[in-house]
Amino acid sequence: MQRIAYWQFVAWEDSWEAFFAKTMRQALDLEVERKGPSEELDTLSHSLFGKVIPRLLGPLESDGRIVKPSLIHGDLWYANAGIDVDNDRPLVFDACCFFAHNEYEFGQWRPACNRFGDEYVAAYSTFTQISPPEEDFEGRLDLYRL
């Protein structure tokens, strides 16, 4: 069995939009490397990088707004979280941590298979607010889910 190494892009960027675009580009390049070229993926990628990412992430860093980097788990879903039976404290494991927009983790929570429902986002929102523009929140989560 051939073992393939994969490194996650974690170099610092001055903007969240630029960082996210680089990580997404890396993931798509890996997809093409493993599965071969796809005309459909090329078409969708053009729209993703040219329209969707700037439309949803650009406003986070405009009109004087900034994205304060937050250390996130990076792969948080129900199988990577649990409760320590000895002390009843939460545990998380299998992290691929990096600094990101604090809402990034929510994207992985969206699919029903991950078993993190809206109650988790609601609980998290007691500690932090949804980033403005708030009307883009659901769109950002769909983007982050990619």
Side-chain angles (χ1 to χ4, degrees), residues 6-138:
Y6 171 70
W7 291 273
Q8 180 173 316
F9 175 82
V10 293
W12 186 261
E13 289 291 332
D14 289 332
S15 94
W16 167 242
E17 180 183 344
F19 180 90
F20 181 85
K22 283 189 176 183
T23 63
M24 181 59 67
R25 173 61 59 203
Q26 182 187 33
L28 291 176
D29 288 348
L30 185 63
E31 179 79 7
V32 169
E33 180 183 322
R34 300 296 185 264
K35 296 183 178 177
S38 162
E39 187 176 319
E40 184 178 22
L41 184 60
D42 287 343
T43 301
L44 293 171
S45 294
H46 182 73
S47 293
L48 177 67
F49 291 100
K51 295 179 183 177
V52 176
I53 291 173
R55 164 59 187 86
L56 291 172
L57 302 186
L60 290 169
E61 299 173 299
S62 63
D63 298 328
R65 293 186 287 260
I66 62 167
V67 171
K68 180 183 174 188
S70 299
L71 185 63
I72 64 160
H73 182 280
D75 190 25
L76 189 58
W77 62 300
Y78 85 94
N80 286 341
I83 302 294
D84 186 322
V85 295
D86 294 328
N87 60 24
D88 206 32
R89 294 187 62 172
L91 293 170
V92 293
F93 29 89
D94 195 21
C96 53
C97 297
F98 60 96
F99 285 98
H101 179 216
N102 66 297
E103 295 171 358
Y104 180 85
E105 203 88 82
F106 299 155
Q108 287 193 355
W109 297 1
R110 296 312 283 249
C113 63
N114 287 346
R115 301 182 190 172
F116 282 109
D118 289 337
E119 65 275 13
Y120 288 90
V121 174
Y124 188 87
S125 68
T126 64
F127 297 100
T128 188
Q129 294 180 330
I130 292 173
S131 298
E134 292 84 353
E135 61 271 14
D136 291 346
F137 178 69
E138 293 296 327

